[in-house]
Amino acid sequence: MTEIALRSRGVEKEFGEDDVVRGADLEVREGEILLLMGPNGVGKTVLLSCLAGSQQPTDGSVEVFGEPISENGGDSLNFLLQDSMAIETLSGRENVEFYSQLHHAFTDRWATYAEQLGLSDDLDKLVKHYSEGMKRKLELAVTMSVDVPVYLLDEPTAGVDLTNIQRFHDIILEEYDEGKSFLVSSHRPMDANIADRIAFMPDGTVSAVGTPDELLASVPPVVRITGSEAIRDAEPFVVDGQLFPLGGEARGFLREDKSLADVTTALSADSVERIDPTYTDLFNYYVHVRG
């Protein structure tokens, strides 16, 4: 039976009268990549901070390999917190030197990662002159240089262009192939490409969890509608009347009491097509429809 690397039970986090995280249950299995998906502002960062031990939950518990995070001391994990690591008054290399002194398991892998990410020639520049993408490269290189069994990565690909997203994924997958466990938060559907399982967090708590195939199979039929008039008339045929526009087309989820024939007859067969769901459709369904 696969061991649980990281587990939260009923984790809640309040700030004053506001509930940011509400009863979050989550399990990261040993040797897996679990992707936590949700829009910005729903508490993903706060939940990861509680799981990492950097914030104390208002209620609930967190365990790392069966031990309370407070007793483990965080020695089994490392945490990449979005937009908070790179020190702008230091150079990239000085940032590496600073963080190398903070964790006993820091290695020299950062140099290899900097090369893979195309950052080597910029290490002696002050970080305040870095682009957001360059800062993210530095932060990932530093985080992944700590040799621990569990990594928590908060929006690692935020602000990163499509070419570099694949480079980020490659670095994560290299350590995944060595048996490391990952909890990765994201609002970018492309990050689902590396996930063993996906958990959705639409509103401060964790809802659906499953493999990509399981979740894709659970989505209602997806219809693509083209033409402004057809899009305008399509709302009665899709779940909750919600359509997701993109350019000159829109997508929606076919209502259970409607058939594709109903839609094509009402709107025009040339304007309607049933398509296989994508990870973007999956995000829209579990965040904006079911969420």
PDB file of all heavy atoms in Angstrom, residues 78-80 85 96 99-100 103-114 117 137-148 151 153 171 175 180 182:
ATOM      1  N   ASN A  78      10.398  20.857   1.403  1.00  0.00           N
ATOM      2  CA  ASN A  78      10.825  22.210   1.083  1.00  0.00           C
ATOM      3  C   ASN A  78       9.688  22.908   0.359  1.00  0.00           C
ATOM      4  O   ASN A  78       8.899  22.265  -0.344  1.00  0.00           O
ATOM      5  CB  ASN A  78      12.098  22.220   0.233  1.00  0.00           C
ATOM      6  CG  ASN A  78      12.836  23.545   0.330  1.00  0.00           C
ATOM      7  OD1 ASN A  78      12.729  24.260   1.328  1.00  0.00           O
ATOM      8  ND2 ASN A  78      13.608  23.886  -0.682  1.00  0.00           N
ATOM      9  N   PHE A  79       9.611  24.220   0.522  1.00  0.00           N
ATOM     10  CA  PHE A  79       8.432  24.994   0.113  1.00  0.00           C
ATOM     11  C   PHE A  79       8.846  26.156  -0.768  1.00  0.00           C
ATOM     12  O   PHE A  79       9.667  26.987  -0.366  1.00  0.00           O
ATOM     13  CB  PHE A  79       7.715  25.484   1.374  1.00  0.00           C
ATOM     14  CG  PHE A  79       6.464  26.278   1.139  1.00  0.00           C
ATOM     15  CD1 PHE A  79       5.669  26.092   0.018  1.00  0.00           C
ATOM     16  CD2 PHE A  79       6.054  27.214   2.082  1.00  0.00           C
ATOM     17  CE1 PHE A  79       4.508  26.812  -0.173  1.00  0.00           C
ATOM     18  CE2 PHE A  79       4.887  27.947   1.904  1.00  0.00           C
ATOM     19  CZ  PHE A  79       4.117  27.748   0.774  1.00  0.00           C
ATOM     20  N   LEU A  80       8.296  26.205  -1.963  1.00  0.00           N
ATOM     21  CA  LEU A  80       8.448  27.359  -2.852  1.00  0.00           C
ATOM     22  C   LEU A  80       7.208  28.216  -2.727  1.00  0.00           C
ATOM     23  O   LEU A  80       6.120  27.825  -3.157  1.00  0.00           O
ATOM     24  CB  LEU A  80       8.625  26.897  -4.302  1.00  0.00           C
ATOM     25  CG  LEU A  80       8.528  27.978  -5.395  1.00  0.00           C
ATOM     26  CD1 LEU A  80       9.581  29.055  -5.190  1.00  0.00           C
ATOM     27  CD2 LEU A  80       8.657  27.367  -6.777  1.00  0.00           C
ATOM     28  N   MET A  85      10.570  34.776  -2.419  1.00  0.00           N
ATOM     29  CA  MET A  85      11.882  34.219  -2.110  1.00  0.00           C
ATOM     30  C   MET A  85      13.045  35.067  -2.590  1.00  0.00           C
ATOM     31  O   MET A  85      13.981  35.328  -1.843  1.00  0.00           O
ATOM     32  CB  MET A  85      12.004  32.808  -2.703  1.00  0.00           C
ATOM     33  CG  MET A  85      11.213  31.757  -1.957  1.00  0.00           C
ATOM     34  SD  MET A  85      11.530  30.117  -2.617  1.00  0.00           S
ATOM     35  CE  MET A  85      13.297  29.955  -2.353  1.00  0.00           C
ATOM     36  N   VAL A  96      21.561  32.473  -3.986  1.00  0.00           N
ATOM     37  CA  VAL A  96      21.882  31.050  -3.815  1.00  0.00           C
ATOM     38  C   VAL A  96      22.713  30.848  -2.562  1.00  0.00           C
ATOM     39  O   VAL A  96      22.443  29.946  -1.743  1.00  0.00           O
ATOM     40  CB  VAL A  96      22.623  30.510  -5.052  1.00  0.00           C
ATOM     41  CG1 VAL A  96      23.119  29.087  -4.791  1.00  0.00           C
ATOM     42  CG2 VAL A  96      21.719  30.537  -6.281  1.00  0.00           C
ATOM     43  N   TYR A  99      20.497  31.237   0.622  1.00  0.00           N
ATOM     44  CA  TYR A  99      19.597  30.119   0.897  1.00  0.00           C
ATOM     45  C   TYR A  99      20.349  28.819   1.168  1.00  0.00           C
ATOM     46  O   TYR A  99      19.827  27.931   1.854  1.00  0.00           O
ATOM     47  CB  TYR A  99      18.604  29.947  -0.252  1.00  0.00           C
ATOM     48  CG  TYR A  99      17.463  30.949  -0.191  1.00  0.00           C
ATOM     49  CD1 TYR A  99      17.405  32.028  -1.075  1.00  0.00           C
ATOM     50  CD2 TYR A  99      16.461  30.826   0.762  1.00  0.00           C
ATOM     51  CE1 TYR A  99      16.387  32.951  -1.002  1.00  0.00           C
ATOM     52  CE2 TYR A  99      15.440  31.752   0.848  1.00  0.00           C
ATOM     53  CZ  TYR A  99      15.406  32.816  -0.033  1.00  0.00           C
ATOM     54  OH  TYR A  99      14.385  33.738   0.062  1.00  0.00           O
ATOM     55  N   SER A 100      21.556  28.714   0.667  1.00  0.00           N
ATOM     56  CA  SER A 100      22.335  27.494   0.924  1.00  0.00           C
ATOM     57  C   SER A 100      22.651  27.328   2.406  1.00  0.00           C
ATOM     58  O   SER A 100      22.925  26.212   2.874  1.00  0.00           O
ATOM     59  CB  SER A 100      23.631  27.518   0.111  1.00  0.00           C
ATOM     60  OG  SER A 100      24.539  28.488   0.624  1.00  0.00           O
ATOM     61  N   HIS A 103      19.320  25.562   4.943  1.00  0.00           N
ATOM     62  CA  HIS A 103      18.845  24.176   5.003  1.00  0.00           C
ATOM     63  C   HIS A 103      20.036  23.232   4.888  1.00  0.00           C
ATOM     64  O   HIS A 103      20.838  23.339   3.964  1.00  0.00           O
ATOM     65  CB  HIS A 103      17.846  23.905   3.884  1.00  0.00           C
ATOM     66  CG  HIS A 103      16.920  22.764   4.182  1.00  0.00           C
ATOM     67  ND1 HIS A 103      17.350  21.470   4.342  1.00  0.00           N
ATOM     68  CD2 HIS A 103      15.558  22.733   4.349  1.00  0.00           C
ATOM     69  CE1 HIS A 103      16.311  20.682   4.594  1.00  0.00           C
ATOM     70  NE2 HIS A 103      15.219  21.426   4.619  1.00  0.00           N
ATOM     71  N   HIS A 104      20.121  22.306   5.831  1.00  0.00           N
ATOM     72  CA  HIS A 104      21.277  21.401   5.860  1.00  0.00           C
ATOM     73  C   HIS A 104      21.325  20.475   4.655  1.00  0.00           C
ATOM     74  O   HIS A 104      22.373  19.890   4.352  1.00  0.00           O
ATOM     75  CB  HIS A 104      21.256  20.565   7.140  1.00  0.00           C
ATOM     76  CG  HIS A 104      20.070  19.653   7.246  1.00  0.00           C
ATOM     77  ND1 HIS A 104      20.046  18.396   6.689  1.00  0.00           N
ATOM     78  CD2 HIS A 104      18.863  19.842   7.834  1.00  0.00           C
ATOM     79  CE1 HIS A 104      18.878  17.834   6.938  1.00  0.00           C
ATOM     80  NE2 HIS A 104      18.136  18.677   7.629  1.00  0.00           N
ATOM     81  N   ALA A 105      20.180  20.327   3.936  1.00  0.00           N
ATOM     82  CA  ALA A 105      20.139  19.412   2.790  1.00  0.00           C
ATOM     83  C   ALA A 105      20.327  20.138   1.459  1.00  0.00           C
ATOM     84  O   ALA A 105      20.046  19.567   0.396  1.00  0.00           O
ATOM     85  CB  ALA A 105      18.820  18.635   2.784  1.00  0.00           C
ATOM     86  N   PHE A 106      20.820  21.377   1.517  1.00  0.00           N
ATOM     87  CA  PHE A 106      21.057  22.123   0.271  1.00  0.00           C
ATOM     88  C   PHE A 106      22.213  21.481  -0.500  1.00  0.00           C
ATOM     89  O   PHE A 106      23.235  21.110   0.086  1.00  0.00           O
ATOM     90  CB  PHE A 106      21.386  23.578   0.578  1.00  0.00           C
ATOM     91  CG  PHE A 106      21.269  24.498  -0.611  1.00  0.00           C
ATOM     92  CD1 PHE A 106      20.072  25.111  -0.911  1.00  0.00           C
ATOM     93  CD2 PHE A 106      22.367  24.732  -1.434  1.00  0.00           C
ATOM     94  CE1 PHE A 106      19.962  25.959  -2.013  1.00  0.00           C
ATOM     95  CE2 PHE A 106      22.267  25.571  -2.531  1.00  0.00           C
ATOM     96  CZ  PHE A 106      21.060  26.171  -2.814  1.00  0.00           C
ATOM     97  N   THR A 107      22.043  21.346  -1.829  1.00  0.00           N
ATOM     98  CA  THR A 107      23.058  20.729  -2.679  1.00  0.00           C
ATOM     99  C   THR A 107      23.511  21.712  -3.754  1.00  0.00           C
ATOM    100  O   THR A 107      22.987  22.819  -3.875  1.00  0.00           O
ATOM    101  CB  THR A 107      22.497  19.467  -3.359  1.00  0.00           C
ATOM    102  OG1 THR A 107      21.560  19.866  -4.379  1.00  0.00           O
ATOM    103  CG2 THR A 107      21.800  18.559  -2.358  1.00  0.00           C
ATOM    104  N   ASP A 108      24.450  21.259  -4.571  1.00  0.00           N
ATOM    105  CA  ASP A 108      24.926  22.116  -5.665  1.00  0.00           C
ATOM    106  C   ASP A 108      24.138  21.900  -6.958  1.00  0.00           C
ATOM    107  O   ASP A 108      24.583  22.316  -8.030  1.00  0.00           O
ATOM    108  CB  ASP A 108      26.416  21.891  -5.900  1.00  0.00           C
ATOM    109  CG  ASP A 108      26.750  20.458  -6.272  1.00  0.00           C
ATOM    110  OD1 ASP A 108      25.816  19.629  -6.377  1.00  0.00           O
ATOM    111  OD2 ASP A 108      27.948  20.157  -6.462  1.00  0.00           O
ATOM    112  N   ARG A 109      22.971  21.265  -6.850  1.00  0.00           N
ATOM    113  CA  ARG A 109      22.157  21.050  -8.054  1.00  0.00           C
ATOM    114  C   ARG A 109      21.712  22.359  -8.687  1.00  0.00           C
ATOM    115  O   ARG A 109      21.346  22.393  -9.864  1.00  0.00           O
ATOM    116  CB  ARG A 109      20.918  20.207  -7.710  1.00  0.00           C
ATOM    117  CG  ARG A 109      21.219  18.790  -7.279  1.00  0.00           C
ATOM    118  CD  ARG A 109      19.995  17.897  -7.299  1.00  0.00           C
ATOM    119  NE  ARG A 109      18.877  18.396  -6.534  1.00  0.00           N
ATOM    120  CZ  ARG A 109      18.208  17.688  -5.613  1.00  0.00           C
ATOM    121  NH1 ARG A 109      18.570  16.446  -5.351  1.00  0.00           N
ATOM    122  NH2 ARG A 109      17.183  18.201  -4.970  1.00  0.00           N
ATOM    123  N   TRP A 110      21.717  23.440  -7.920  1.00  0.00           N
ATOM    124  CA  TRP A 110      21.235  24.723  -8.437  1.00  0.00           C
ATOM    125  C   TRP A 110      21.973  25.130  -9.715  1.00  0.00           C
ATOM    126  O   TRP A 110      21.372  25.744 -10.608  1.00  0.00           O
ATOM    127  CB  TRP A 110      21.401  25.820  -7.376  1.00  0.00           C
ATOM    128  CG  TRP A 110      22.824  26.131  -7.050  1.00  0.00           C
ATOM    129  CD1 TRP A 110      23.600  25.566  -6.089  1.00  0.00           C
ATOM    130  CD2 TRP A 110      23.659  27.086  -7.728  1.00  0.00           C
ATOM    131  NE1 TRP A 110      24.869  26.093  -6.113  1.00  0.00           N
ATOM    132  CE2 TRP A 110      24.932  27.031  -7.106  1.00  0.00           C
ATOM    133  CE3 TRP A 110      23.461  27.966  -8.781  1.00  0.00           C
ATOM    134  CZ2 TRP A 110      25.982  27.835  -7.513  1.00  0.00           C
ATOM    135  CZ3 TRP A 110      24.506  28.772  -9.195  1.00  0.00           C
ATOM    136  CH2 TRP A 110      25.757  28.705  -8.561  1.00  0.00           C
ATOM    137  N   ALA A 111      23.249  24.818  -9.811  1.00  0.00           N
ATOM    138  CA  ALA A 111      24.024  25.215 -10.996  1.00  0.00           C
ATOM    139  C   ALA A 111      23.514  24.504 -12.239  1.00  0.00           C
ATOM    140  O   ALA A 111      23.420  25.095 -13.322  1.00  0.00           O
ATOM    141  CB  ALA A 111      25.503  24.919 -10.764  1.00  0.00           C
ATOM    142  N   THR A 112      23.188  23.220 -12.091  1.00  0.00           N
ATOM    143  CA  THR A 112      22.624  22.467 -13.214  1.00  0.00           C
ATOM    144  C   THR A 112      21.270  23.030 -13.611  1.00  0.00           C
ATOM    145  O   THR A 112      20.965  23.190 -14.800  1.00  0.00           O
ATOM    146  CB  THR A 112      22.481  20.978 -12.832  1.00  0.00           C
ATOM    147  OG1 THR A 112      23.769  20.463 -12.492  1.00  0.00           O
ATOM    148  CG2 THR A 112      21.894  20.174 -13.982  1.00  0.00           C
ATOM    149  N   TYR A 113      20.441  23.341 -12.608  1.00  0.00           N
ATOM    150  CA  TYR A 113      19.122  23.902 -12.900  1.00  0.00           C
ATOM    151  C   TYR A 113      19.238  25.270 -13.570  1.00  0.00           C
ATOM    152  O   TYR A 113      18.485  25.587 -14.503  1.00  0.00           O
ATOM    153  CB  TYR A 113      18.304  24.034 -11.614  1.00  0.00           C
ATOM    154  CG  TYR A 113      17.999  22.729 -10.940  1.00  0.00           C
ATOM    155  CD1 TYR A 113      17.934  22.634  -9.553  1.00  0.00           C
ATOM    156  CD2 TYR A 113      17.763  21.569 -11.680  1.00  0.00           C
ATOM    157  CE1 TYR A 113      17.654  21.432  -8.922  1.00  0.00           C
ATOM    158  CE2 TYR A 113      17.480  20.363 -11.057  1.00  0.00           C
ATOM    159  CZ  TYR A 113      17.431  20.301  -9.679  1.00  0.00           C
ATOM    160  OH  TYR A 113      17.146  19.118  -9.050  1.00  0.00           O
ATOM    161  N   ALA A 114      20.173  26.091 -13.101  1.00  0.00           N
ATOM    162  CA  ALA A 114      20.358  27.410 -13.712  1.00  0.00           C
ATOM    163  C   ALA A 114      20.740  27.271 -15.175  1.00  0.00           C
ATOM    164  O   ALA A 114      20.276  28.038 -16.033  1.00  0.00           O
ATOM    165  CB  ALA A 114      21.430  28.190 -12.952  1.00  0.00           C
ATOM    166  N   LEU A 117      17.683  26.209 -17.206  1.00  0.00           N
ATOM    167  CA  LEU A 117      16.689  27.285 -17.317  1.00  0.00           C
ATOM    168  C   LEU A 117      17.222  28.512 -18.048  1.00  0.00           C
ATOM    169  O   LEU A 117      16.501  29.495 -18.205  1.00  0.00           O
ATOM    170  CB  LEU A 117      16.217  27.687 -15.918  1.00  0.00           C
ATOM    171  CG  LEU A 117      15.452  26.612 -15.140  1.00  0.00           C
ATOM    172  CD1 LEU A 117      15.288  27.019 -13.683  1.00  0.00           C
ATOM    173  CD2 LEU A 117      14.089  26.357 -15.784  1.00  0.00           C
ATOM    174  N   LYS A 137      12.620  31.438 -12.197  1.00  0.00           N
ATOM    175  CA  LYS A 137      13.656  30.445 -12.488  1.00  0.00           C
ATOM    176  C   LYS A 137      14.618  30.312 -11.306  1.00  0.00           C
ATOM    177  O   LYS A 137      14.975  29.203 -10.890  1.00  0.00           O
ATOM    178  CB  LYS A 137      14.439  30.848 -13.739  1.00  0.00           C
ATOM    179  CG  LYS A 137      13.667  30.771 -15.048  1.00  0.00           C
ATOM    180  CD  LYS A 137      14.533  31.275 -16.191  1.00  0.00           C
ATOM    181  CE  LYS A 137      13.783  31.288 -17.505  1.00  0.00           C
ATOM    182  NZ  LYS A 137      14.629  31.799 -18.611  1.00  0.00           N
ATOM    183  N   LEU A 138      15.049  31.449 -10.768  1.00  0.00           N
ATOM    184  CA  LEU A 138      15.974  31.432  -9.638  1.00  0.00           C
ATOM    185  C   LEU A 138      15.334  30.750  -8.435  1.00  0.00           C
ATOM    186  O   LEU A 138      15.959  29.912  -7.763  1.00  0.00           O
ATOM    187  CB  LEU A 138      16.389  32.864  -9.283  1.00  0.00           C
ATOM    188  CG  LEU A 138      17.303  33.022  -8.070  1.00  0.00           C
ATOM    189  CD1 LEU A 138      18.647  32.343  -8.312  1.00  0.00           C
ATOM    190  CD2 LEU A 138      17.504  34.506  -7.743  1.00  0.00           C
ATOM    191  N   GLU A 139      14.090  31.080  -8.159  1.00  0.00           N
ATOM    192  CA  GLU A 139      13.392  30.504  -7.003  1.00  0.00           C
ATOM    193  C   GLU A 139      13.219  29.000  -7.147  1.00  0.00           C
ATOM    194  O   GLU A 139      13.384  28.245  -6.177  1.00  0.00           O
ATOM    195  CB  GLU A 139      12.043  31.195  -6.826  1.00  0.00           C
ATOM    196  CG  GLU A 139      12.170  32.643  -6.383  1.00  0.00           C
ATOM    197  CD  GLU A 139      10.855  33.409  -6.440  1.00  0.00           C
ATOM    198  OE1 GLU A 139       9.899  32.930  -7.092  1.00  0.00           O
ATOM    199  OE2 GLU A 139      10.776  34.490  -5.846  1.00  0.00           O
ATOM    200  N   LEU A 140      12.896  28.548  -8.348  1.00  0.00           N
ATOM    201  CA  LEU A 140      12.753  27.109  -8.557  1.00  0.00           C
ATOM    202  C   LEU A 140      14.097  26.409  -8.399  1.00  0.00           C
ATOM    203  O   LEU A 140      14.187  25.345  -7.762  1.00  0.00           O
ATOM    204  CB  LEU A 140      12.173  26.818  -9.942  1.00  0.00           C
ATOM    205  CG  LEU A 140      11.914  25.324 -10.211  1.00  0.00           C
ATOM    206  CD1 LEU A 140      10.723  24.821  -9.401  1.00  0.00           C
ATOM    207  CD2 LEU A 140      11.672  25.065 -11.702  1.00  0.00           C
ATOM    208  N   ALA A 141      15.156  26.993  -8.964  1.00  0.00           N
ATOM    209  CA  ALA A 141      16.479  26.381  -8.863  1.00  0.00           C
ATOM    210  C   ALA A 141      16.908  26.253  -7.410  1.00  0.00           C
ATOM    211  O   ALA A 141      17.454  25.219  -6.992  1.00  0.00           O
ATOM    212  CB  ALA A 141      17.499  27.207  -9.644  1.00  0.00           C
ATOM    213  N   VAL A 142      16.661  27.280  -6.611  1.00  0.00           N
ATOM    214  CA  VAL A 142      17.032  27.251  -5.195  1.00  0.00           C
ATOM    215  C   VAL A 142      16.202  26.211  -4.451  1.00  0.00           C
ATOM    216  O   VAL A 142      16.726  25.402  -3.673  1.00  0.00           O
ATOM    217  CB  VAL A 142      16.847  28.650  -4.571  1.00  0.00           C
ATOM    218  CG1 VAL A 142      16.924  28.572  -3.052  1.00  0.00           C
ATOM    219  CG2 VAL A 142      17.897  29.616  -5.105  1.00  0.00           C
ATOM    220  N   THR A 143      14.897  26.209  -4.677  1.00  0.00           N
ATOM    221  CA  THR A 143      14.001  25.290  -3.968  1.00  0.00           C
ATOM    222  C   THR A 143      14.344  23.840  -4.262  1.00  0.00           C
ATOM    223  O   THR A 143      14.431  23.003  -3.355  1.00  0.00           O
ATOM    224  CB  THR A 143      12.536  25.555  -4.366  1.00  0.00           C
ATOM    225  OG1 THR A 143      12.198  26.907  -4.035  1.00  0.00           O
ATOM    226  CG2 THR A 143      11.590  24.602  -3.646  1.00  0.00           C
ATOM    227  N   MET A 144      14.561  23.524  -5.542  1.00  0.00           N
ATOM    228  CA  MET A 144      14.800  22.143  -5.937  1.00  0.00           C
ATOM    229  C   MET A 144      16.220  21.681  -5.611  1.00  0.00           C
ATOM    230  O   MET A 144      16.535  20.500  -5.747  1.00  0.00           O
ATOM    231  CB  MET A 144      14.519  21.971  -7.427  1.00  0.00           C
ATOM    232  CG  MET A 144      13.070  22.257  -7.820  1.00  0.00           C
ATOM    233  SD  MET A 144      11.884  21.208  -6.959  1.00  0.00           S
ATOM    234  CE  MET A 144      12.390  19.611  -7.562  1.00  0.00           C
ATOM    235  N   SER A 145      17.076  22.604  -5.167  1.00  0.00           N
ATOM    236  CA  SER A 145      18.433  22.227  -4.775  1.00  0.00           C
ATOM    237  C   SER A 145      18.491  21.628  -3.378  1.00  0.00           C
ATOM    238  O   SER A 145      19.524  21.094  -2.979  1.00  0.00           O
ATOM    239  CB  SER A 145      19.361  23.439  -4.846  1.00  0.00           C
ATOM    240  OG  SER A 145      19.544  23.836  -6.191  1.00  0.00           O
ATOM    241  N   VAL A 146      17.398  21.739  -2.634  1.00  0.00           N
ATOM    242  CA  VAL A 146      17.330  21.118  -1.312  1.00  0.00           C
ATOM    243  C   VAL A 146      16.847  19.679  -1.493  1.00  0.00           C
ATOM    244  O   VAL A 146      15.791  19.435  -2.060  1.00  0.00           O
ATOM    245  CB  VAL A 146      16.375  21.900  -0.389  1.00  0.00           C
ATOM    246  CG1 VAL A 146      16.277  21.211   0.968  1.00  0.00           C
ATOM    247  CG2 VAL A 146      16.861  23.337  -0.220  1.00  0.00           C
ATOM    248  N   ASP A 147      17.637  18.740  -1.049  1.00  0.00           N
ATOM    249  CA  ASP A 147      17.351  17.322  -1.266  1.00  0.00           C
ATOM    250  C   ASP A 147      16.454  16.783  -0.146  1.00  0.00           C
ATOM    251  O   ASP A 147      16.932  16.381   0.914  1.00  0.00           O
ATOM    252  CB  ASP A 147      18.657  16.535  -1.327  1.00  0.00           C
ATOM    253  CG  ASP A 147      18.434  15.101  -1.771  1.00  0.00           C
ATOM    254  OD1 ASP A 147      17.348  14.789  -2.282  1.00  0.00           O
ATOM    255  OD2 ASP A 147      19.356  14.276  -1.603  1.00  0.00           O
ATOM    256  N   VAL A 148      15.146  16.820  -0.398  1.00  0.00           N
ATOM    257  CA  VAL A 148      14.149  16.335   0.560  1.00  0.00           C
ATOM    258  C   VAL A 148      13.158  15.435  -0.175  1.00  0.00           C
ATOM    259  O   VAL A 148      13.069  15.483  -1.410  1.00  0.00           O
ATOM    260  CB  VAL A 148      13.400  17.509   1.231  1.00  0.00           C
ATOM    261  CG1 VAL A 148      14.287  18.254   2.199  1.00  0.00           C
ATOM    262  CG2 VAL A 148      12.825  18.461   0.177  1.00  0.00           C
ATOM    263  N   TYR A 151       8.182  18.110  -1.912  1.00  0.00           N
ATOM    264  CA  TYR A 151       8.261  19.505  -2.331  1.00  0.00           C
ATOM    265  C   TYR A 151       6.855  20.083  -2.448  1.00  0.00           C
ATOM    266  O   TYR A 151       5.969  19.460  -3.049  1.00  0.00           O
ATOM    267  CB  TYR A 151       8.972  19.638  -3.680  1.00  0.00           C
ATOM    268  CG  TYR A 151      10.417  19.206  -3.660  1.00  0.00           C
ATOM    269  CD1 TYR A 151      10.768  17.898  -3.981  1.00  0.00           C
ATOM    270  CD2 TYR A 151      11.424  20.090  -3.307  1.00  0.00           C
ATOM    271  CE1 TYR A 151      12.091  17.486  -3.949  1.00  0.00           C
ATOM    272  CE2 TYR A 151      12.759  19.691  -3.278  1.00  0.00           C
ATOM    273  CZ  TYR A 151      13.082  18.386  -3.603  1.00  0.00           C
ATOM    274  OH  TYR A 151      14.397  17.970  -3.572  1.00  0.00           O
ATOM    275  N   LEU A 153       5.168  23.301  -4.098  1.00  0.00           N
ATOM    276  CA  LEU A 153       5.478  24.361  -5.059  1.00  0.00           C
ATOM    277  C   LEU A 153       4.219  25.194  -5.299  1.00  0.00           C
ATOM    278  O   LEU A 153       3.234  24.710  -5.857  1.00  0.00           O
ATOM    279  CB  LEU A 153       5.984  23.762  -6.370  1.00  0.00           C
ATOM    280  CG  LEU A 153       7.150  22.775  -6.275  1.00  0.00           C
ATOM    281  CD1 LEU A 153       7.538  22.278  -7.673  1.00  0.00           C
ATOM    282  CD2 LEU A 153       8.351  23.400  -5.576  1.00  0.00           C
ATOM    283  N   ILE A 171      12.375  19.748 -14.843  1.00  0.00           N
ATOM    284  CA  ILE A 171      13.110  19.712 -13.578  1.00  0.00           C
ATOM    285  C   ILE A 171      12.293  18.992 -12.505  1.00  0.00           C
ATOM    286  O   ILE A 171      12.812  18.166 -11.745  1.00  0.00           O
ATOM    287  CB  ILE A 171      13.477  21.144 -13.137  1.00  0.00           C
ATOM    288  CG1 ILE A 171      14.577  21.696 -14.048  1.00  0.00           C
ATOM    289  CG2 ILE A 171      13.913  21.182 -11.668  1.00  0.00           C
ATOM    290  CD1 ILE A 171      14.916  23.145 -13.819  1.00  0.00           C
ATOM    291  N   GLU A 175      13.172  14.955 -10.562  1.00  0.00           N
ATOM    292  CA  GLU A 175      13.139  14.558  -9.148  1.00  0.00           C
ATOM    293  C   GLU A 175      11.996  13.583  -8.875  1.00  0.00           C
ATOM    294  O   GLU A 175      12.111  12.698  -8.025  1.00  0.00           O
ATOM    295  CB  GLU A 175      13.032  15.788  -8.252  1.00  0.00           C
ATOM    296  CG  GLU A 175      14.283  16.652  -8.252  1.00  0.00           C
ATOM    297  CD  GLU A 175      15.518  15.833  -7.906  1.00  0.00           C
ATOM    298  OE1 GLU A 175      15.521  15.141  -6.869  1.00  0.00           O
ATOM    299  OE2 GLU A 175      16.488  15.868  -8.694  1.00  0.00           O
ATOM    300  N   LYS A 180      10.594  11.346  -5.581  1.00  0.00           N
ATOM    301  CA  LYS A 180      10.164  12.460  -4.751  1.00  0.00           C
ATOM    302  C   LYS A 180       8.660  12.709  -4.926  1.00  0.00           C
ATOM    303  O   LYS A 180       8.070  12.378  -5.963  1.00  0.00           O
ATOM    304  CB  LYS A 180      10.943  13.727  -5.109  1.00  0.00           C
ATOM    305  CG  LYS A 180      12.464  13.570  -5.015  1.00  0.00           C
ATOM    306  CD  LYS A 180      12.921  13.188  -3.609  1.00  0.00           C
ATOM    307  CE  LYS A 180      14.435  12.984  -3.526  1.00  0.00           C
ATOM    308  NZ  LYS A 180      15.194  14.196  -3.770  1.00  0.00           N
ATOM    309  N   PHE A 182       5.345  15.497  -4.751  1.00  0.00           N
ATOM    310  CA  PHE A 182       5.094  16.911  -5.033  1.00  0.00           C
ATOM    311  C   PHE A 182       3.632  17.277  -4.795  1.00  0.00           C
ATOM    312  O   PHE A 182       2.727  16.537  -5.191  1.00  0.00           O
ATOM    313  CB  PHE A 182       5.417  17.243  -6.494  1.00  0.00           C
ATOM    314  CG  PHE A 182       6.880  17.257  -6.826  1.00  0.00           C
ATOM    315  CD1 PHE A 182       7.533  16.072  -7.157  1.00  0.00           C
ATOM    316  CD2 PHE A 182       7.604  18.434  -6.806  1.00  0.00           C
ATOM    317  CE1 PHE A 182       8.879  16.071  -7.462  1.00  0.00           C
ATOM    318  CE2 PHE A 182       8.957  18.439  -7.108  1.00  0.00           C
ATOM    319  CZ  PHE A 182       9.601  17.250  -7.445  1.00  0.00           C
TER     320      PHE A 182
END
